[in-house]
């Protein structure tokens, strides 16, 4: 009885916590097409200003890849009113922090300041949009930075190339087929006019969402946004041609030799629906059940119990047009990558054939409710969620309702979606192997 009461109290407390997490926001458009989202939270004197641009590696020319990621770096070089090297100093002198990141579909810039420096954040982002300097000095500098980043993260990093290799094999027509960092040869051969054209095309207010979240006065914030962003001219409409991939009907076998590793790996990658579709949410739950963390089925079975794997991992690739479920592992001792593949397939077959237990189902629900709370536990996290839900999922209010989608997913749905997408003939099987050294 005591255990029952404790469980009931926990459930009630969790439910109260989830309901208490509602994020209140306001959104509107400026005349130039910039979408604005405001979230007021005056509990702490902190504010995040963030701008997400609807441009990622998929928007690049196949012969000029790497531009979206390159601009993530280039647009910190300075503007007509911010000298080179001053951006970081301005942020630091106002007690703030900042960063940026790029993925397949979007590029995201953000600053977090004490709330009395809100205007600084708005000014910085309006400068990035209105007055960037796309000059040869900055381009040459950032080419060196990107080259070093590639050497550090891909070329000289153990297992660093698997993302690019998987994308190349998962897609044959879609621009997801090249890596986000792109080709250094393409960047090296690009002209200054190429970079200026990319900026003029994609870095326009009607291709962006501005989020201001935190300790703000809404009328004053709206006035500042109007002053700083209102005069920026609207850009030309951006043509977007959605490329439809042919389905994978026969297993794609791929091999890659990495000079930076000693232990081979097997990676199995399945092309799945875009992140806004309901089936994508079901795949998220399947991924968590099978391979997310030390409590997952595959980890417990292969690492803890049978001890045939050194590590089991999953790599979610959630994107706008298509997503991917990637699962893999590293063998230990005399075991092989084939042994690991056989065990993964056995667990996938179970989930395709039988309903997961009610206990495991409740564990999944608890995990996703916890993830939901954590994602919105900071002002910067809320800003990111608001931007992504608006731009990539078409519904800003998912910040409040997304958990309801997960709650509504049934055990039968988990089984049926696994049957639909996790078929051996619909995947890429990547054997990621140590590079063989020639004997002297």
């Amino acid at each position: 009885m005591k255990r029952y009461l404790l469980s009931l109290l926990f459930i009630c407390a969790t439910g109260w916590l989830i309901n208490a997490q509602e994020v209140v926001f306001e959104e509107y458009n400026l005349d130039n097409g910039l979408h604005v989202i405001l979230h007021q939270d005056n509990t702490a004197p902190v504010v995040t200003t963030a701008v997400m641009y609807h441009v990622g590696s998929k928007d690049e020319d196949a012969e000029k890849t790497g531009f979206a990621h390159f601009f993530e770096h280039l647009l910190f070089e300075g503007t007509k009113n911010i000298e080179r090297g001053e951006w970081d100093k301005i942020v630091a002198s106002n007690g703030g922090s900042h960063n940026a990141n790029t993925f397949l579909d979007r590029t995201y810039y953000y600053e977090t300041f004490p709330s009395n420096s809100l205007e600084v954040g708005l000014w910085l982002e309006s400068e990035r949009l209105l007055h960037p300097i796309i000059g040869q000095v900055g381009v040459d500098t950032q080419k060196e930075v990107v080259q070093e980043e590639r050497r550090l993260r891909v070329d000289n990093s153990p297992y660093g190339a698997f993302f690019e290799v998987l994308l190349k094999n998962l897609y044959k027509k879609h621009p997801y087929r090249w890596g986000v960092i792109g080709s250094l040869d393409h960047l090296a051969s690009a002209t200054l006019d190429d970079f200026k054209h990319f900026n003029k095309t994609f870095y326009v207010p009607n291709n962006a969402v501005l989020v201001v979240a935190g300790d703000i006065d809404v009328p004053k914030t709206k006035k500042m946004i109007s002053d700083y962003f209102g005069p920026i001219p609207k850009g030309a409409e951006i043509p977007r041609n959605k490329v439809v991939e042919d389905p994978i009907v026969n297993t794609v076998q791929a091999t890659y030799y990495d000079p930076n590793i000693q232990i081979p790996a097997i990676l199995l990658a399945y092309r799945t629906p875009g992140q806004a579709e309901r089936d994508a949410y079901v795949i998220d739950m399947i991924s968590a059940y099978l391979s997310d963390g030390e409590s997952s089925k595959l980890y417990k079975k292969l690492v803890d119990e049978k001890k045939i794997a050194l590590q089991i991992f999953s790599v979610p690739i959630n994107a706008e047009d298509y997503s991917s479920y990637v699962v893999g592992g590293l063998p230990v001792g005399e075991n092989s990558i084939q042994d690991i593949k056989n065990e993964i397939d056995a667990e996938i077959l179970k989930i395709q054939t039988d309903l997961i237990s009610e206990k495991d189902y409740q564990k999944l629900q608890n995990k996703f409710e916890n993830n939901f709370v954590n994602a919105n536990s900071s002002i910067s996290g809320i800003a990111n969620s608001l931007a992504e839900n608006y731009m990539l999922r078409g519904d800003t209010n998912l910040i409040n309702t997304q958990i309801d989608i997960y709650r509504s997913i049934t055990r039968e749905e988990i089984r049926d979606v696994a049957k639909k997408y996790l078929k051996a003939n619909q995947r890429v099987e990547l054997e990621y192997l140590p590079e063989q050294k020639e004997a002297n």
Side-chain angles (χ1 to χ4, degrees):
M1 175 64 75
K2 183 177 180 181
R3 180 177 296 178
Y4 170 78
L5 289 174
L6 287 174
S7 298
L8 183 61
L9 287 171
F10 174 78
I11 291 169
C12 291
T14 302
W16 174 85
L17 182 61
I18 295 298
N19 292 330
Q21 291 294 312
E22 181 180 4
V23 175
V24 178
F25 61 90
E26 178 182 352
E27 54 186 330
Y28 61 95
N29 289 326
L30 299 184
D31 291 341
N32 57 17
L34 179 69
H35 192 74
V36 180
I37 305 174
L38 304 179
H39 165 63
Q40 184 179 23
D41 181 350
N42 302 119
T43 56
V46 176
V47 65
T48 291
T49 56
V51 180
M52 181 173 286
Y53 294 89
H54 203 173
V55 57
S57 58
K58 82 170 182 190
D59 299 290
E60 298 162 349
D61 185 321
E63 300 302 318
K64 296 176 182 177
T65 64
F67 275 46
H69 171 256
F70 187 78
F71 265 77
E72 174 200 320
H73 294 267
L74 183 63
L75 293 187
F76 284 102
E77 274 291 309
T79 73
K80 290 181 181 179
N81 298 307
I82 302 173
E83 294 183 7
R84 289 188 71 238
E86 291 298 308
W87 197 290
D88 289 350
K89 295 178 183 178
I90 292 171
V91 173
S93 66
N94 284 276
S97 60
H98 68 123
N99 213 330
N101 53 70
T102 309
F103 200 49
L104 302 171
D105 306 297
R106 89 297 180 276
T107 306
Y108 186 58
Y109 303 85
Y110 62 98
E111 299 85 24
T112 298
F113 284 108
S115 52
N116 60 4
S117 293
L118 167 62
E119 190 168 3
V120 177
L122 294 173
W123 171 65
L124 286 169
E125 290 304 333
S126 67
E127 277 291 304
R128 195 197 307 275
L129 184 54
L130 181 59
H131 295 133
I133 293 179
I134 312 298
Q136 197 63 54
V137 173
V139 165
D140 290 343
T141 300
Q142 294 307 321
K143 283 181 180 179
E144 291 294 326
V145 171
V146 172
Q147 286 176 351
E148 181 58 29
E149 182 179 349
R150 181 180 178 88
R151 285 191 288 266
L152 179 65
R153 295 187 178 183
V154 180
D155 298 337
N156 298 324
S157 176
Y159 309 99
F162 85 85
F163 182 71
E164 287 186 346
V165 179
L166 282 178
L167 289 177
K168 182 174 67 174
N169 285 281
L170 271 171
Y171 302 100
K172 298 304 178 184
K173 298 188 295 185
H174 197 283
Y176 287 164
R177 68 185 183 272
W178 55 80
V180 175
I181 203 166
S183 165
L184 296 184
D185 290 339
H186 290 174
L187 291 176
S189 63
T191 67
L192 193 58
D193 284 341
D194 290 332
F195 293 113
K196 289 181 177 180
H197 175 72
F198 191 87
N199 182 78
K200 183 179 179 180
T201 301
F202 295 107
Y203 280 82
V204 291
N206 44 302
N207 194 44
V209 54
L210 165 69
V211 180
V212 183
D215 182 27
I216 62 173
D217 178 293
V218 172
K220 290 180 180 179
T221 302
K222 286 184 175 180
K223 176 64 167 57
M224 285 188 283
I225 290 171
S226 177
D227 290 344
Y228 283 108
F229 290 89
I232 301 174
K234 184 176 184 177
E237 185 176 349
I238 301 171
R240 298 194 187 273
N241 300 316
K242 183 173 180 179
V243 179
V244 178
E245 276 285 340
D246 297 326
I248 299 173
V249 294
N250 294 301
T251 307
V252 178
Q253 302 284 353
T255 305
Y256 183 81
Y257 294 95
D258 188 335
N260 304 301
I261 66 172
Q262 295 180 326
I263 301 173
I266 181 70
L267 293 105
L268 309 176
Y270 304 83
R271 194 191 302 154
T272 56
Q275 63 190 41
E277 297 185 34
R278 181 176 176 85
D279 280 357
Y281 289 93
V282 184
I283 292 289
D284 284 346
M285 296 195 83
I286 292 171
S287 175
Y289 174 80
L290 287 175
S291 52
D292 183 12
E294 295 183 5
S295 64
S296 67
K297 288 294 180 183
L298 286 171
Y299 191 97
K300 288 194 295 184
K301 182 179 180 182
L302 276 67
V303 178
D304 292 341
E305 297 171 10
K306 292 196 170 184
K307 295 181 171 47
I308 68 170
L310 180 66
Q311 185 60 271
I312 290 292
F313 49 83
S314 62
V315 186
I317 306 176
N318 294 319
E320 192 173 21
D321 297 341
Y322 297 96
S323 297
S324 307
Y325 170 52
V326 182
V327 58
L330 283 66
V332 66
E334 298 299 316
N335 299 286
S336 68
I337 56 176
Q338 183 64 46
D339 295 330
I340 292 179
K341 184 171 74 170
N342 291 342
E343 293 289 351
I344 291 174
D345 283 342
E347 286 302 315
I348 289 175
L349 181 60
K350 286 182 185 179
I351 201 174
Q352 291 172 329
T353 306
D354 303 320
L355 297 181
I356 66 172
S357 71
E358 184 63 36
K359 179 180 177 182
D360 285 333
Y361 177 73
Q362 290 301 325
K363 178 181 171 184
L364 275 178
Q365 291 291 345
N366 293 340
K367 183 182 184 73
F368 278 87
E369 295 214 354
N370 185 60
N371 291 344
F372 174 76
V373 172
N374 289 338
N376 298 333
S377 63
S378 69
I379 290 298
S380 59
I382 287 172
N384 182 81
S385 294
L386 288 168
E388 283 210 351
N389 287 330
Y390 165 75
M391 181 165 285
L392 303 181
R393 297 184 180 93
D395 182 2
T396 312
N397 197 46
L398 281 169
I399 196 168
N400 295 311
T401 62
Q402 192 175 61
I403 188 60
D404 295 329
I405 299 175
Y406 289 114
R407 287 171 177 158
S408 70
I409 292 169
T410 65
R411 294 188 295 157
E412 289 79 8
E413 207 170 355
I414 290 172
R415 178 196 60 201
D416 295 344
V417 168
K419 280 183 183 179
K420 183 176 180 181
Y421 296 102
L422 305 188
K423 297 179 180 178
N425 67 313
Q426 295 178 183
R427 72 187 182 192
V428 174
E429 296 182 359
L430 172 60
E431 295 187 0
Y432 201 97
L433 306 174
E435 185 176 79
Q436 300 297 313
K437 309 293 184 182
E438 291 186 10
N440 292 330

